[in-house]
Amino acid sequence: MILVTGSAGFIGSNFVLDWCALHDEPVLSLDKLTYAGNLENLASLSDNPRHSFVQGDIGDAELVARLLAEHRPRAVINFAAESHVDRSIHGPEDFIQTNIVGTFHLLEAVRAYWGALPDAEKSAFRFLHVSTDEVYGSLVKDEPAFTELHRYEPNSPYSASKAASDHLVRAYHHTYGLPVLTTNCSNNYGPYHFPEKLIPLLIVNALAGKALPVYGDGQQIRDWLYVKDHCSAIRCVLEKGRLGEVYNVGGWNEKANLDIVHTVCDLLDELRPSSAGKSYAEQITFVTDRPGHDRRYAIDARKIERELGWKPAETFETGIRKTVQWYLDNQGWVNNVLSGNYRQWVEKQYGE
Ligand code: NAD
Ligand code: TYD
């Protein structure tokens, strides 16, 4: 079985749903259920005997040690993190606690568990740490995309805390021989994305007749990857990745934010035209820029393609259409998030 942390969040839940659809191997989910954790994302697994969920903190060393001893996973995949740059600017402390201190406690518990495994299980064990391209800092126009050798230059409290966790993971391999793998991925989009991030915020605000806030001049560039492609990359690295190695994961899809906003508006105009007959683009509003806003991220994903044969399955055009359609088809999920009812999902679903 595998242990997946942060499994009620955006990428973790997509990963667990895809894993359970593709594999017979059981999954133990561990998530603290912060504001970003939504158990409704995993509702379709509530009767699946191969999936179990535990609410808890990766920084709770005693709990993690007990779960490892009881369930004896062959791998730990660590998605748990505070993940929103704007929140890290307003209040960095949670980011330091979970992304740095929490990862440290998780690594310590995993090191003790792994160290006591019999030889065969010990050599088969993997700790896969899910990280971000933001640790590499910002690129100027036409500068080559980030390779795995690019120096770390994190610019926000979020990216600095992820960079610190990457360094800890690296050190646990170098010093203790812990069999680790790290992935650094570009911006994801797709189902179950919390509507504080750009793409789901645009869809939700557009339909509600609200402003579509574009920071600064909207010319910041991100490399966008459909979430299910990120999940397939993680499965690929888990299966075939070389121990101690880092793999950059990206969609070869650099877009300026303003282009993303117009693409989402065009799709909504087509799929759910506004009753007033106006384009959603009329709701675009330029707002004050994010402090320290990184100008451009771009991922060079040639290593994972060359060594492990991974490539994204979706283009941006197919992925963004699926995403907009998913939000239109899942208004109940959106409403539960917006009303805050998703936080009562545990009681609603499982009673006391
Ligand atoms: P998310 O914010 O949607 O989900 C994070 C999950 O972690 C939530 O369910 C939350 O409850 C849980 N969590 C937070 N603190 C915890 C703790 N102390 N113990 C246990 N669980 C805790 O984030 P996401 O977008 O799904 O990102 C998942 C991972 O992927 C993060 O590590 C993030 O840095 C990384 N990543 C994200 C992106 C992206 O575009 N979203 C891109 C590259 C890498
Ligand atoms: P976001 O989804 O927060 O991801 P990240 O900051 O991790 O890249 O933001 C994506 C880009 O969109 C980023 O350049 C900031 C910008 N942005 C806006 O212009 N308006 C918004 O309301 C948000 C949330 C983001």
Side-chain angles (χ1 to χ4, degrees):
M1 69 116 57
I2 60 169
L3 169 60
V4 180
T5 70
S7 50
F10 164 47
I11 308 174
S13 62
N14 275 286
F15 180 84
V16 169
L17 291 171
D18 288 358
W19 183 276
C20 290
L22 293 167
H23 298 256
D24 285 334
E25 188 175 14
V27 179
L28 175 64
S29 277
L30 173 66
D31 196 295
K32 187 177 174 182
L33 297 181
T34 67
Y35 80 93
N38 183 349
L39 258 195
E40 198 175 339
N41 299 0
L42 299 172
S44 62
L45 299 176
S46 56
D47 294 326
N48 187 330
R50 288 181 287 112
H51 177 253
S52 40
F53 179 83
V54 174
Q55 182 172 5
D57 193 324
I58 55 164
D60 182 343
E62 217 173 286
L63 169 70
V64 176
R66 183 165 60 71
L67 293 175
L68 292 170
E70 273 173 19
H71 296 272
R72 302 184 66 80
R74 66 154 178 113
V76 174
I77 297 116
N78 182 31
F79 291 94
E82 290 291 339
S83 69
H84 189 37
V85 173
D86 293 324
R87 283 182 192 257
S88 83
I89 295 168
H90 290 294
E93 178 137 15
D94 287 347
F95 290 73
I96 306 306
Q97 274 311 325
T98 284
N99 300 1
I100 306 180
V101 182
T103 303
F104 161 69
H105 286 301
L106 178 65
L107 281 167
E108 275 294 90
V110 168
R111 178 165 79 91
Y113 162 73
W114 169 78
L117 286 174
D119 283 349
E121 286 173 54
K122 196 171 179 179
S123 59
F125 183 81
R126 298 287 181 270
F127 180 91
L128 193 152
H129 181 62
V130 180
S131 192
T132 166
D133 59 358
E134 303 193 23
V135 299
Y136 298 123
S138 185
L139 294 168
V140 296
K141 197 170 175 292
D142 298 332
E143 204 178 337
F146 301 129
T147 69
E148 292 77 2
L149 300 177
H150 199 281
R151 70 182 263 202
Y152 270 39
E153 283 179 331
N155 289 321
S156 71
Y158 163 65
S159 54
S161 65
K162 290 296 292 185
S165 68
D166 293 6
H167 290 323
L168 283 170
V169 170
R170 177 191 154 86
Y172 272 62
H173 176 68
H174 192 80
T175 303
Y176 304 115
L178 192 70
V180 307
L181 299 155
T182 300
T183 54
N184 290 85
C185 187
S186 59
N187 283 55
N188 286 210
Y189 66 98
Y192 304 111
H193 205 179
F194 197 79
E196 64 181 354
K197 306 277 171 70
L198 179 66
I199 288 180
L201 183 89
L202 293 171
I203 301 170
V204 168
N205 278 15
L207 294 173
K210 293 187 178 164
L212 306 179
V214 176
Y215 297 165
D217 62 3
Q219 293 309 313
Q220 303 82 4
I221 290 171
R222 299 289 181 267
D223 170 10
W224 294 92
L225 180 70
Y226 190 60
V227 64
K228 290 187 180 294
D229 279 326
H230 186 191
C231 295
S232 78
I234 292 169
R235 292 194 301 273
C236 180
V237 172
L238 182 65
E239 193 192 331
K240 300 191 268 187
R242 285 188 293 129
L243 292 186
E245 289 291 316
V246 172
Y247 294 92
N248 283 357
V249 183
W252 298 105
N253 177 55
E254 287 183 55
K255 298 262 187 235
N257 290 343
L258 201 53
D259 294 338
I260 297 284
V261 180
H262 280 290
T263 302
V264 169
C265 290
D266 291 349
L267 277 167
L268 285 172
D269 286 341
E270 176 197 327
L271 298 170
R272 183 68 56 87
S274 87
S275 49
K278 292 181 173 174
S279 169
Y280 292 102
E282 290 183 32
Q283 291 163 232
I284 294 173
T285 309
F286 288 88
V287 300
T288 310
D289 208 354
R290 170 188 281 173
H293 199 169
D294 284 338
R295 199 66 185 162
R296 174 175 167 241
Y297 303 140
I299 277 279
D300 182 333
R302 278 178 296 183
K303 177 176 172 184
I304 186 171
E305 182 177 345
R306 191 178 60 242
E307 288 191 12
L308 309 183
W310 175 86
K311 264 194 201 172
E314 301 287 345
T315 63
F316 186 68
E317 287 64 36
T318 58
I320 192 70
R321 182 173 283 275
K322 282 184 185 178
T323 303
V324 171
Q325 191 64 56
W326 187 88
Y327 279 84
L328 291 173
D329 294 343
N330 288 275
Q331 281 295 311
W333 182 91
V334 171
N335 293 339
N336 278 344
V337 170
L338 296 181
S339 68
N341 280 348
Y342 75 105
R343 307 212 69 175
Q344 275 85 56
W345 179 260
V346 190
E347 291 100 278
K348 250 202 314 201
Q349 182 76 357
Y350 302 103
E352 282 305 298

